[in-house]
Amino acid sequence: MGLFLGIGAYAVAATFLPKALSFGNPVFLAAAAVFTASTAVCAQERARAALALLRGWRDPASPAVDRLASASGAGIELAEGVSAEEALARAEAALGGLGLRQARRDDGVWARRNAWGALGSPVFHYALAGLFIFAGLGQLMKWEGVIGVPEGGVARDTPALYDPYTAGPLASHAAGRVIAVDDLDINHVHRDVERGPSPQVRLLVDGEEVRAQRVYPNRPLRYGSLSVHQLEYGIGAVLTVLGPEGEARGSAPAALHFDDLRPDGTLVVEASAEGRPAEEYAVVVAVPLDEEGGRYFRRVPEDPRVLVSFPGSGDPATERPREARVGERVALPGGSGWLVVEELGYQVWLFVVDDWTIPFIYAFLTVACVGAAVALLAPPRAAFVRHETADASAGVPARLVLVTRCRRVDPAFPGRARAAVERSVSRREDER
Amino acid sequence: MITAELVAMWAAVGAYALSSAGFIGGVVFGRGVLERTALTLAGAGFAAHTTGIAVRWVLTGHGPYLGFYEVASLLAWITVALLLWLAWRHRGLRVVGIVALPVAFLIMGGAMLVSRESEAISGALASVWLIIHVLFANLAYGGYVAAFMLAAAFLLRERGAGRAGDAGAGAGRAGDAAAPGDVGAAAAVAGGRLAGVLARLPGQEVIDELTFKFIGAGFVFQGVMLASGAIWANQAWGRYWGWDPIETWSLIAWGIYALYLHLRLTLGWSGTRAAWVAVIALPVIVFSLLGVPLVYDSIHGAYLYT
C-alpha cells in the first residue's frame, strides 16, 4: 500500500518533468518493478484463497463448510408449530429465491452463489502483473522511429535511415524490408471524413510485396509486429552538383517540413549538396508556397521554383537568393560548378514501430477489466442455516441460525439473506 | 437551430441555478416544499439540457464529446441525471441535490462561457474507439460523482450524529450494530433543520454500501476507458501509452479509487473513513477530465480546449 501511494505521489510530481527524467528514471522503473512483483505476489495469495474457496464450496462435506456450519450467526425465531425439518426446507427455498444453489446436510442447509467470482480478484491482479511485465518487455525489445520516404520512392527499413530512432537494448531490426510510398493524397476523404494526408504505402520483404494500403490515422499498415503510421508530410527535393563542365559529382535529397513555414511563405532547408567542391559555405534552398489571400497552401506549388543561396561563400552574388526552376542550373560560388534542383515532390514521414507485445498488452487489459468486473459485481456469497432445538433452561426457543459469508463486497447480503429466511419461517403451517 | 440549442442550454443553466438555490434554501430553512420545487426545477432543467444536447448532436453529426463545451455539458447532464435517478430510487436521497445541483450549475455555467463552435470529426477522431472511450469515461465519472454525493450525505449526517452523541443521545455509528436509520434518527434528535432533512435519508449502512457499489462500477468503467484509450492511441498514433499528462492523471485517479477498494475490501474500512476517501477522490477525476489541459500541454487538450 505504501509503495502504491509512493508511486502515485511520484507520478503527480513527474507530470511536471520531462518524460526522460520522470517515467524513464531508474528510480521510477525500479519502483515499478517492485510494484509489479508485489502485484504478482498479491495475485498469488488471492489465487490460493480463491482456489481454496472454490474447492471448499464445491463439496458440502468440506472442512470449509464444516467451519461455517459451526460458526455463530443470526438467530431466527420460528413460527409456532414449524418443525425443524419444515423450517430448514423453507429456509432452503428462501435462499434459492436469492439465487443461491442449495445442498442439504445432516446439520442444515448449505447454499452458495458465484463461487467462481472469487477468481475475479486474482485474475485482475495477475492481469495487471502481466500487463506490467509485458509493457517492460516491450520497452526492452521494441524499436521505433521516423523515416522519410519521397512520393513515388522507396526507403530501406534500416536504422540508419530513421531520424529519430530508438531501440530497446534487446531489440532486433529485421533485414530485407523496404517501405515504398506510391502516392500521397494530401486530403484523403473516406466515409465523408477528411483523413488528412494519406500515403499509399507498400511493404516489401526480400523484394516481394507483403502489404499495401493507404495509411492514415486509425488505419496503420500492419505486418506481423510491425506497424506503419502516417506522421507528417512535406516537400522533398533532390539536389545534384555538377562540375564546371556539367559532369555529375553527387546527388542528395533534401526535405522541407510544412511546420517550418516562414512568415514570408517559404520552406527553407540547409542542404548537404554532395559533390560540391568546398565545405566553407552553406547551401540553402527555399521553396515559396502558393498563396491566396495571405494563406499559404501546404502542397507542392503548381509552378514549382526554388530560391538558392550560398551563405558564407564571400561572394555577394551567390549569397543572395537566386530563383531557379526545377532542372535549371544555379552557379556555385567561385565558378566551381552548378547546383541543380532535380525534383520537387512530396515527402512523407512515417512513424514505424516494431513491438510484438502489443496484442498481449491488449489481452491483459481486457482480462484485467473482466477480472475487476467479476470481483466487484459478481462476488461469491454463501450461507449456512442450521436448526437449534429449544433450550428451556436457558430460555432459548427453537430457532434457525443463519451464517453468511460475503460481508465486504456485498455488505447487504447478510441482511437480505436473513430477511428472506425470516419471512419464510415466520408463518405457521396453516397460514401459508 | 443554433438558437434552439442556445435557448435550451441557457434554460437549463437558469433552471439549475434556481434549483441550486431551492435545495440550499430547503435545507437552510427546513422547508420540504422548497426541496420538492428544486427537484422539479432540476427535472425541467434536465429536460431542456437533453433537448439542447440532442439538437447539437443532430447539427454537428456527432455526440457530445468534442471540445470543452460539449464535454462539460455532458458531465453536468450526467450529474443531474444521477441526482434524479437517486431521488427516484429513494425520495430521501433528493437532499444530495444540495451538492449535485451547484456542481452541475458551475460546470454548465463554465461551459456556456467558452467557445461553442462545433468541431468536425478529424481523421484521428474517426474511430469506434472514441465512442467506447468517451462512453466509459462518462459512465465512470457518473459512478464516481454519485459516490461523491452519497459519501457527502453520509458525512453530513455522521457529523449530525456526532453532535447528537455529544448531546448524550447515544447514537450509534454506521458499521456498529445500530440498525439502519438510527444515525439519522439521532441526528434529528440533535435538532437543527439540516438534521431533520438528513433524517429522511436511507440508513447510513445503505448509503455506505451504495457509495461502494458506485465506486466499484466506476472503477470497472474507468478500466474500460483506459483500455479503450490505449487501443485507440495505438491505432491513431502508434503508441498505447505515452505518459501524456491526461493519461497519467487518469491513471492516478484510477489508483485512488483502487486504493479506496483496497482499503475497504482488504483492510475492512467502511463508514466515515471510506466516505472521506470517496469525497477526496472526486476532485482528482474532475481535474483529470477537465483541468489537466489547462495546466499541462496535453495531446488531449486539442480535443477539449479548441
Side-chain angles (χ1 to χ4, degrees):
Chain A
M1 202 77 85
L3 183 64
F4 187 68
L5 286 171
I7 289 178
Y10 183 90
V12 172
T15 55
F16 294 100
L17 299 171
K19 234 177 277 178
L21 287 177
S22 51
F23 299 108
N25 187 318
V27 175
F28 177 78
L29 295 177
V34 174
F35 184 67
T36 302
S38 72
T39 305
V41 170
C42 180
Q44 181 69 16
E45 283 173 8
R46 286 164 192 263
R48 204 174 294 134
L51 291 173
L53 183 144
L54 271 174
R55 276 195 297 270
W57 286 18
R58 193 187 304 139
D59 178 11
S62 69
V65 182
D66 287 344
R67 279 195 297 277
L68 210 59
S70 58
S72 59
I76 298 168
E77 282 189 32
L78 307 180
E80 204 180 307
V82 177
S83 67
E85 187 55 35
E86 173 65 17
L88 286 174
R90 289 191 199 176
E92 188 177 354
L95 292 173
L98 293 178
L100 278 76
R101 283 177 58 199
Q102 321 93 310
R104 283 300 282 269
R105 288 177 27 141
D106 293 342
D107 54 350
V109 176
W110 156 241
R112 75 282 187 202
R113 181 181 183 184
N114 293 349
W116 53 271
L119 293 171
S121 180
V123 164
F124 172 71
H125 285 84
Y126 271 129
L128 277 192
L131 179 70
F132 298 152
I133 289 168
F134 273 75
L137 275 177
Q139 294 302 311
L140 292 173
M141 301 183 74
K142 79 171 182 182
W143 63 261
E144 64 185 33
V146 176
I147 191 167
V149 188
E151 183 187 21
V154 298
R156 275 189 306 119
D157 174 25
T158 182
L161 291 184
Y162 285 86
D163 182 26
Y165 179 80
T166 54
L170 304 177
S172 64
H173 203 119
R177 288 193 296 228
V178 169
I179 298 170
V181 171
D182 293 340
D183 68 71
L184 174 77
D185 182 350
I186 60 170
N187 196 11
H188 182 64
V189 176
H190 178 66
R191 290 185 180 166
D192 296 332
V193 176
E194 292 183 0
R195 312 285 169 160
S198 309
Q200 177 69 27
V201 178
R202 277 186 301 130
L203 182 70
L204 299 98
V205 178
D206 297 328
E208 192 180 325
E209 181 183 306
V210 291
R211 287 282 187 283
Q213 71 170 69
R214 194 160 292 283
V215 172
Y216 47 80
N218 290 306
R219 194 169 182 264
L221 180 147
R222 293 195 192 285
Y223 176 68
S225 57
L226 190 84
S227 60
V228 179
H229 300 257
Q230 161 63 9
L231 185 69
E232 197 191 343
Y233 79 112
I235 293 178
V238 176
L239 309 180
T240 298
V241 172
L242 305 175
E245 306 302 322
E247 72 282 13
R249 286 187 172 167
S251 189
L256 302 100
H257 296 255
F258 284 121
D259 287 343
D260 297 336
L261 181 67
R262 294 191 170 185
D264 63 357
T266 57
L267 297 178
V268 179
V269 64
E270 191 168 326
S272 71
E274 282 183 26
R276 72 182 191 267
E279 296 286 341
E280 63 269 19
Y281 58 85
V283 178
V284 173
V285 177
V287 177
L289 297 184
D290 288 345
E291 177 257 344
E292 191 179 290
R295 181 172 159 253
Y296 296 100
F297 294 101
R298 288 179 163 231
R299 66 184 187 211
V300 173
E302 287 181 3
D303 179 19
R305 57 206 167 84
V306 294
L307 300 167
V308 181
S309 57
F310 303 97
S313 64
D315 175 3
T318 58
E319 282 188 331
R320 209 174 43 244
R322 282 170 293 165
E323 188 177 306
R325 299 197 173 276
V326 173
E328 195 176 326
R329 292 180 179 188
V330 178
L332 290 172
S336 56
W338 310 89
L339 180 80
V340 181
V341 177
E342 297 275 9
E343 292 172 27
L344 211 55
Y346 285 112
Q347 171 93 358
V348 171
W349 282 274
L350 301 167
F351 179 59
V352 185
V353 189
D354 193 346
D355 184 357
W356 61 269
T357 63
I358 287 172
F360 293 93
I361 299 284
Y362 288 179
F364 283 121
L365 281 170
T366 307
V367 172
C369 289
V370 172
V374 168
L376 292 167
L377 308 177
R381 303 173 182 93
F384 193 93
V385 185
R386 66 176 184 267
H387 181 266
E388 285 184 357
T389 51
D391 183 352
S393 61
V396 178
R399 61 177 191 163
L400 292 182
V401 174
L402 171 71
V403 184
T404 52
R405 284 286 177 272
C406 188
R407 196 165 156 67
R408 287 181 178 168
V409 185
D410 186 4
F413 174 67
R416 282 204 311 276
R418 180 177 179 164
V421 174
E422 261 176 353
R423 264 198 312 275
S424 72
V425 298
S426 61
R427 281 166 296 174
R428 296 195 308 262
E429 185 62 27
D430 55 354
E431 290 176 331
R432 301 185 82 211
Chain B
M1 287 297 272
I2 289 289
T3 311
E5 179 203 333
L6 264 185
V7 168
M9 291 301 202
W10 278 115
V13 173
Y16 292 163
L18 290 172
S19 177
S20 301
F23 276 116
I24 293 166
V27 170
V28 170
F29 300 113
R31 300 286 299 274
V33 67
L34 277 177
E35 265 181 58
R36 285 195 295 278
T37 309
L39 191 66
T40 308
L41 279 168
F46 181 73
H49 197 167
T50 308
T51 307
I53 289 174
V55 169
R56 186 177 177 87
W57 195 321
V58 171
L59 281 175
T60 60
H62 62 74
Y65 38 71
L66 293 185
F68 180 82
Y69 167 68
E70 289 182 1
V71 172
S73 161
L74 186 62
L75 294 182
W77 185 88
I78 290 169
T79 305
V80 180
L82 278 163
L83 168 74
L84 294 174
W85 183 77
L86 287 171
W88 172 67
R89 293 284 295 178
H90 194 294
R91 210 159 54 102
L93 281 175
R94 73 178 179 217
V95 71
V96 299
I98 196 173
V99 180
L101 260 298
V103 168
F105 167 65
L106 288 175
I107 295 178
M108 193 61 197
M112 295 303 288
L113 296 178
V114 300
S115 167
R116 289 183 296 274
E117 207 167 301
S118 166
E119 197 183 329
I121 290 274
S122 65
L125 294 173
S127 166
V128 69
W129 293 108
L130 167 70
I131 295 163
I132 297 170
H133 183 64
V134 171
L135 173 70
F136 280 92
N138 284 302
L139 285 173
Y141 166 79
Y144 293 150
V145 87
F148 170 82
M149 289 190 273
L150 290 163
F154 182 100
L155 291 172
L156 276 174
R157 192 159 72 175
E158 197 65 5
R159 216 175 140 205
R163 285 184 186 149
D166 293 344
R173 299 278 179 136
D176 293 347
D182 281 2
V183 178
V189 171
R193 286 154 182 158
L194 180 61
V197 172
L198 293 173
R200 294 200 298 272
L201 286 168
Q204 291 289 74
E205 287 183 355
V206 175
I207 294 179
D208 187 43
E209 190 194 343
L210 271 176
T211 305
F212 164 63
K213 283 186 171 169
F214 274 113
I215 285 181
F219 183 77
V220 174
F221 293 148
Q222 198 185 353
V224 178
M225 183 268 273
L226 287 168
S228 56
I231 295 170
W232 179 27
N234 192 52
Q235 284 280 101
W237 304 314
R239 56 130 184 99
Y240 57 85
W241 193 264
W243 294 111
D244 178 74
I246 210 160
E247 291 171 354
T248 307
W249 272 99
S250 202
L251 190 65
I252 290 167
W254 202 51
I256 289 175
Y257 284 104
L259 184 70
Y260 172 94
L261 294 171
H262 275 92
L263 290 171
R264 187 167 185 115
L265 299 176
T266 309
L267 300 184
W269 280 31
S270 65
T272 309
R273 289 187 301 178
W276 271 115
V277 179
V279 166
I280 290 165
L282 189 80
V284 180
I285 192 82
V286 171
F287 178 69
S288 76
L289 281 169
L290 295 175
V292 168
L294 293 174
V295 178
Y296 302 93
D297 186 16
S298 165
I299 198 160
H300 285 71
Y303 309 135
L304 270 178
Y305 300 95
T306 49

